[in-house]
Amino acid sequence: MQVTHLGLPVRDERASRRFYCAYFGFDPASAQRYEDGTVIIRDGAGFDLALHTVSGEVGPLPAFLHVGFRLSEPAQVRALRGRLAADGVQIVEECDEPGLVSFKCLDPDGHRVEVYWETPAPGR
């Protein structure tokens, strides 16, 4: 069994779609709109992100709630963090230690997005 999609409430589907396509590998050409207004975008691994437009505010959300993206090298995490920060994306948490390099940023609706690399566990 594998997790294959995540549904997110968003105020501006286009802004969210641009954010996830620009920084997290979702393919804009994969966008599919449904009758209820939901737009689904897919990444190269086949993971679907369902963007559900809502009226009003999305949050506040609990600080622990987040979606995570694992990268294969610490340098990739640092590079993406620099790119997001340079583009004005709010970074809300950072860790740069020998076994873990990570950060959390906020998407256009305030959802926390974590990007990380960690030393692989034995047997992985």
Side-chain angles (χ1 to χ4, degrees):
M1 188 178 307
Q2 182 178 356
V3 175
T4 59
H5 73 272
L6 172 68
L8 289 178
V10 300
R11 290 172 298 185
D12 182 344
E13 167 270 317
R14 288 187 178 129
S16 294
R17 185 173 5 148
R18 282 191 303 271
F19 178 82
Y20 286 99
C21 290
Y23 300 113
F24 296 100
F26 288 87
D27 181 1
S30 71
Q32 186 172 356
R33 184 174 300 276
Y34 290 84
E35 286 184 27
D36 68 353
T38 299
V39 173
I40 293 182
I41 52 177
R42 179 168 287 159
D43 71 7
F47 186 84
D48 293 337
L49 186 59
L51 305 171
H52 303 274
T53 303
V54 297
S55 58
E57 292 299 313
V58 172
L61 302 170
F64 68 83
L65 186 64
H66 67 278
V67 60
F69 293 88
R70 181 184 4 224
L71 293 174
S72 58
E73 299 292 330
Q76 293 173 313
V77 176
R78 293 180 189 113
L80 182 54
R81 186 223 171 275
R83 187 171 150 222
L84 285 157
D87 288 347
V89 174
Q90 185 178 358
I91 307 297
V92 295
E93 193 176 310
E94 297 181 66
C95 178
D96 198 328
E97 298 176 357
L100 175 66
V101 177
S102 69
F103 68 88
K104 288 181 183 164
C105 65
L106 299 181
D107 80 356
D109 290 287
H111 297 294
R112 289 176 185 261
V113 179
E114 180 179 24
V115 179
Y116 70 100
W117 166 89
E118 64 182 335
T119 303
R124 271 187 151 176

